[in-house]
Amino acid sequence: ARGVGGGVLDAEWSIWYKAALTVPALTTAVLSGIALPYLWRRIHHGRALSLVVNYLGFILSLLALLQLGGVFVGVNALANTFMRGLPFLFSAFLGYVFASLGDRYEESNPARQKQFRAAGKWVAGLSLVAWLIAIESYRGLWAILMNWLAPLPLFFLLVTVLFGLAAWLMWRRPLAQAFNATNGDIEMLEGFLFVSPNLLGFLLFFAGPLLFSLYVSFTDWDAFSDAQWVGLDNYARILNLDIATLDSITQRANEVLDVTVYDELARFEFFGRAVIIGAQDKLFWTALYNTLKFVVLAVPLAVLPALFLANLLNSKLPGMKIFRAAYFLPSVAAVVGIALIWQWLYNSTVGYINYGISLLIDSINFLFGGGLENPNIRWLSSSNTALIAVTIMYGWRMIGFNTVLFLAGLQNIPHVLYEAATVDGANTWNKFWHVTLPLLGPTTFFVLITTLVGAFQVFEDVYILIPGQNPAGPGNSTLTMVLYLYQKGFQRFEQGYASAIAWVLFLMIFVATLIQFQRQRAAGAEEN
């Protein structure tokens, strides 16, 4: 910002900085004005609103103070010296362990217990001091202190103290009683206080960017120049189709379609008439088709085997805990590592999957004298198998997580129900169909929803698994919605259009989830 054009960037930063300071201040002033009449009349709503204003003012002013002091930049710079202090952090942990050893003498020798605890505290304390010195924290603290000596940081320091003091006074129980607050009112405010960090994080890092992306979807923003409002043009471009009839199924597309606007998407015969469909954005519909195909294949593959495995693991046989951990391991492993391993397994030349298929075919030919040929499947380089390969890997990766969820649901089913079903003469299948599945309904619903949403949002599996420069695969056979969104937004810098694609995907997921909710509600109503 200090180089060419630095003045312009500094001016823009100054505008945004002033706005960031002014908007919270005006909001606080408005809310304070609303709360003032209630405060004068000692109405509890005024206390609650004042507490919210002071709490938010304290958070905002504290963040501004930390930013002006260079705390966030200092934490980033701390990574360069953090490794120096690792031995001392380990020593602090040893001090904690040493202090805990004194609990052995809690009943036999209390004096010895105090000695162990005191020694452990000294070891941990000295180790922490040595750690702070090793990472040169004193330099950062001195720099922050010097930054805070400027007029603006001192102002925010004063504002932070005042907001914090006001919030503390409003929070005290004697003042709550003066405002005739009931126990329900006090518990409600305490509940909101406990969830406030998560709520503020949600508003700042999720709801805010979400609303911003909705605005961007109505613009032609490219992430660099100014955004121009285009209204629904992005959505019209995504969904714009043209359907025309053909004299014959082999008729050329440019004779019935405006090929300067539409690309041929599909042609087929319908009730004896040839029909052609043109799309303004053919790749979007290709990505939509691949995504829906992936969802149809991946969701059953990730859910049904998990249900079967959960029933097998829901037993008290020796070694079941080892099997449960083994099946869950793929869920905690990094997607990058999993995809690289599967990429090697899918290798058409040296991969173990093709090697196993060749051994199986050779064995069949040897035993039965058949003439089967080795297909030598090109898993990742053929448009016929690339998406199937991604689906198999995704299903394998999700089965362990879904198995644990199903297992938790199975263990919550009372065993007396199975005993009653056995007394009534039910066999294993009847007990599974009439006892297990109905009582496993809420768990099944949750598993289906999470797997469905994850399948719609598949990205890493495709992007890493497919080798080469084109993760969309041969013939765009693995081009999914999120991958297409990524290409538009972060490779071609069409942020407005990419945001529109994201909202179309959101609507698809919302509709699919809503349908599942309605089915679950209807099933519950029938059971009742």
Side-chain angles (χ1 to χ4, degrees):
R2 300 296 180 184
V4 179
V8 177
L9 293 177
D10 286 344
E12 292 181 354
W13 168 248
S14 178
I15 293 173
W16 282 106
Y17 186 73
K18 291 178 181 178
L21 297 180
T22 304
V23 172
L26 290 177
T27 304
T28 303
V30 171
L31 292 176
S32 299
I34 297 175
L36 192 58
Y38 293 99
L39 290 174
W40 281 110
R41 289 183 291 173
R42 291 189 178 182
I43 299 177
H44 175 67
H45 296 297
R47 171 182 171 265
L49 189 57
S50 176
L51 182 60
V52 170
V53 169
N54 289 303
Y55 178 69
L56 292 178
F58 172 77
I59 296 296
L60 292 173
S61 57
L62 179 62
L63 291 176
L65 180 63
L66 295 177
Q67 173 65 23
L68 293 173
V71 173
F72 301 117
V73 178
V75 171
N76 188 34
L78 187 65
N80 298 326
T81 59
F82 184 80
M83 295 299 295
R84 304 177 190 173
L86 280 181
F88 300 104
L89 281 181
F90 182 72
S91 300
F93 174 74
L94 289 180
Y96 169 78
V97 173
F98 192 68
S100 64
L101 292 176
D103 295 337
R104 302 163 124 198
Y105 304 96
E106 184 175 3
E107 297 180 356
S108 60
N109 194 343
R112 180 65 62 85
Q113 179 189 19
K114 291 182 180 180
Q115 292 175 357
F116 269 97
R117 288 185 174 181
K121 290 180 180 179
W122 274 103
V123 171
L126 293 176
S127 299
L128 290 176
V129 171
W131 174 72
L132 292 174
I133 296 174
I135 64 175
E136 300 181 358
S137 60
Y138 55 90
R139 296 180 183 271
L141 294 175
W142 180 256
I144 293 172
L145 181 61
M146 292 296 101
N147 290 335
W148 280 349
L149 293 179
L152 189 59
L154 288 177
F155 168 76
F156 274 102
L157 178 61
L158 177 62
V159 170
T160 303
V161 173
L162 291 178
F163 272 126
L165 182 61
W168 178 73
L169 291 174
M170 280 292 172
W171 182 256
R172 297 186 64 199
R173 190 170 289 269
L175 191 61
Q177 295 174 350
F179 278 84
N180 299 320
T182 64
N183 290 332
D185 296 329
I186 296 175
E187 291 177 358
M188 179 189 67
L189 288 178
E190 290 177 349
F192 278 116
L193 177 65
F194 279 110
V195 302
S196 61
N198 190 26
L199 182 61
L200 292 175
F202 170 81
L203 295 175
L204 183 62
F205 297 108
F206 184 81
L210 188 67
L211 294 176
F212 178 70
S213 71
L214 180 61
Y215 163 75
V216 170
S217 69
F218 296 108
T219 69
D220 62 351
W221 190 46
D222 60 358
F224 298 102
S225 59
D226 294 334
Q228 301 295 327
W229 183 267
V230 296
L232 296 174
D233 288 354
N234 289 328
Y235 294 95
R237 178 182 165 192
I238 290 173
L239 303 175
N240 193 10
L241 295 173
D242 186 18
I243 303 175
T245 58
L246 299 170
D247 295 334
S248 65
I249 196 66
T250 59
Q251 185 179 0
R252 298 176 60 180
N254 59 358
E255 296 179 4
V256 293
L257 294 177
D258 183 1
V259 294
T260 61
V261 179
Y262 300 98
D263 294 321
E264 180 181 345
L265 181 62
R267 62 172 66 197
F268 53 88
E269 289 186 346
F270 185 72
F271 290 106
R273 302 186 64 180
V275 179
I276 186 172
I277 300 178
Q280 187 172 356
D281 187 358
K282 180 180 178 180
L283 288 178
F284 167 79
W285 294 97
T286 302
L288 176 60
Y289 171 76
N290 291 335
T291 301
L292 293 177
K293 183 179 178 181
F294 178 82
V295 169
V296 171
L297 295 175
V299 172
L301 183 61
V303 173
L304 295 180
L307 179 59
F308 174 74
L309 287 173
N311 280 275
L312 289 180
L313 296 175
N314 189 30
S315 61
K316 298 181 180 180
L317 296 176
M320 279 296 121
K321 293 183 179 179
I322 298 176
F323 283 105
R324 293 173 186 175
Y327 282 116
F328 187 69
L329 278 178
S331 303
V332 298
V335 180
V336 176
I338 292 175
L340 291 176
I341 293 174
W342 275 90
Q343 189 180 99
W344 177 62
L345 292 174
Y346 279 131
N347 190 287
S348 59
T349 305
V350 297
Y352 273 104
I353 294 179
N354 276 359
Y355 178 68
I357 294 175
S358 65
L359 287 180
L360 178 61
I361 291 176
D362 292 341
S363 300
I364 294 175
N365 290 334
F366 177 77
L367 294 175
F368 302 102
L372 297 177
E373 295 183 359
N374 188 355
N376 194 23
I377 303 173
R378 300 167 59 199
W379 290 98
L380 303 179
S381 57
S382 173
S383 59
N384 297 324
T385 58
L387 188 62
I388 296 176
V390 178
T391 304
I392 294 173
M393 189 196 79
Y394 179 84
W396 176 85
R397 185 168 64 86
M398 294 297 298
I399 283 175
F401 180 74
N402 291 340
T403 298
V404 172
L405 295 178
F406 277 127
L407 186 60
L410 288 172
Q411 292 180 347
N412 287 328
I413 299 176
H415 190 68
V416 293
L417 297 178
Y418 293 106
E419 295 177 351
T422 303
V423 172
D424 291 338
N427 56 26
T428 303
W429 171 253
N430 290 331
K431 286 188 285 186
F432 174 78
W433 188 258
H434 295 288
V435 178
T436 302
L437 282 184
L439 295 179
L440 207 60
T443 304
T444 305
F445 170 72
F446 178 78
V447 170
L448 281 175
I449 290 298
T450 54
T451 308
L452 186 72
V453 173
F456 269 111
Q457 296 177 339
V458 63
F459 171 72
E460 302 99 327
D461 305 73
V462 179
Y463 189 80
I464 302 169
L465 182 62
I466 303 300
Q469 299 297 321
N470 182 21
N476 291 318
S477 59
T478 56
L479 180 65
T480 60
M481 292 281 287
V482 179
L483 180 59
Y484 185 51
L485 183 157
Y486 168 78
Q487 291 178 346
K488 282 291 187 181
F490 298 97
Q491 290 182 342
R492 303 172 189 173
F493 297 103
E494 298 179 24
Q495 295 285 345
Y497 194 72
S499 298
I501 296 174
W503 277 93
V504 171
L505 178 61
F506 164 76
L507 290 176
M508 292 171 53
I509 296 175
F510 178 78
V511 170
T513 306
L514 184 62
I515 292 174
Q516 290 292 333
F517 266 109
Q518 294 297 332
R519 292 184 60 185
Q520 176 69 13
R521 183 178 299 177
E526 291 179 0
E527 292 177 2
N528 294 332

